[in-house]
Amino acid sequence: MSVASDRLAVAMSRLDQIAREHADRRELRERRTREAKEQASDSFAKQGQVAQKIVERLEEAEKAQKAAGGWNTKAATEKKSGEYKFGAEDDDPTYETPPPLPTSWTPIPPPVQPPTAPPPPPPAPRPTPRRPAPVDDDDDFGGQSWLT
């Protein structure tokens, strides 16, 4: 074989190697794109479910607010079960007749309070202090406003 055919064979093998490398890179890029699309669709589906739950809760809150007459306070919009629970839930109510009321009733006299002394008279009002008479000084410019 000649030198030219050897160089051609080396160049052809090098081009085949480059073509395989490009094909592998393309396949890797397409596989990563597919995985990213699948992951994005899964996350969008989860976000859609969360958004649906949020919308349902907001609609429930809006209905509760409308039912409460437009008031959006916790006391007005919380669900009321209609039952008041006092104590343990296991306690069963007993329906017994109350004991009879006493037949004789005697009022208790009010307590006697000792007489109190009258309050002292209010103190006399103090006289208001008088201002001194203004001094008529032509040289005194203290009351003059120099900003006008």
Side-chain angles (χ1 to χ4, degrees):
M1 284 217 248
S2 70
V3 175
S5 63
D6 288 340
R7 289 181 60 196
L8 179 64
V10 170
M12 292 293 283
S13 68
R14 180 73 179 135
L15 286 176
D16 287 339
Q17 182 183 7
I18 292 173
R20 279 193 307 269
E21 186 177 336
H22 283 293
D24 291 343
R25 285 185 181 181
R26 184 182 311 119
E27 177 60 36
L28 182 62
R29 187 173 54 243
E30 290 173 357
R31 183 174 46 128
R32 286 184 180 166
T33 303
R34 262 193 322 271
E35 290 173 356
K37 284 182 182 179
E38 290 172 2
Q39 186 179 7
S41 67
D42 291 343
S43 67
F44 282 138
K46 288 179 185 177
Q47 286 179 355
Q49 291 171 354
V50 170
Q52 182 64 29
K53 288 180 183 178
I54 290 172
V55 167
E56 289 173 2
R57 290 202 178 152
L58 287 175
E59 288 173 351
E60 288 175 7
E62 183 181 357
K63 286 179 185 177
Q65 182 181 356
K66 284 183 181 178
W71 294 95
N72 193 15
T73 60
K74 183 178 179 184
T77 58
E78 70 182 4
K79 293 183 180 179
K80 295 180 174 69
S81 65
E83 294 183 17
Y84 295 103
K85 295 182 182 177
F86 298 103
E89 294 178 7
D90 296 335
D91 293 342
D92 291 330
T94 56
Y95 299 104
E96 298 175 356
T97 57
L101 296 174
T103 55
S104 65
W105 182 75
T106 56
I108 300 174
V112 178
Q113 296 180 353
T116 59
R126 296 192 303 181
T128 58
R130 299 199 175 243
R131 295 183 186 169
V135 177
D136 189 22
D137 241 355
D138 288 339
D139 296 335
D140 184 23
F141 296 108
Q144 175 66 33
S145 173
W146 300 99
L147 299 176
T148 57

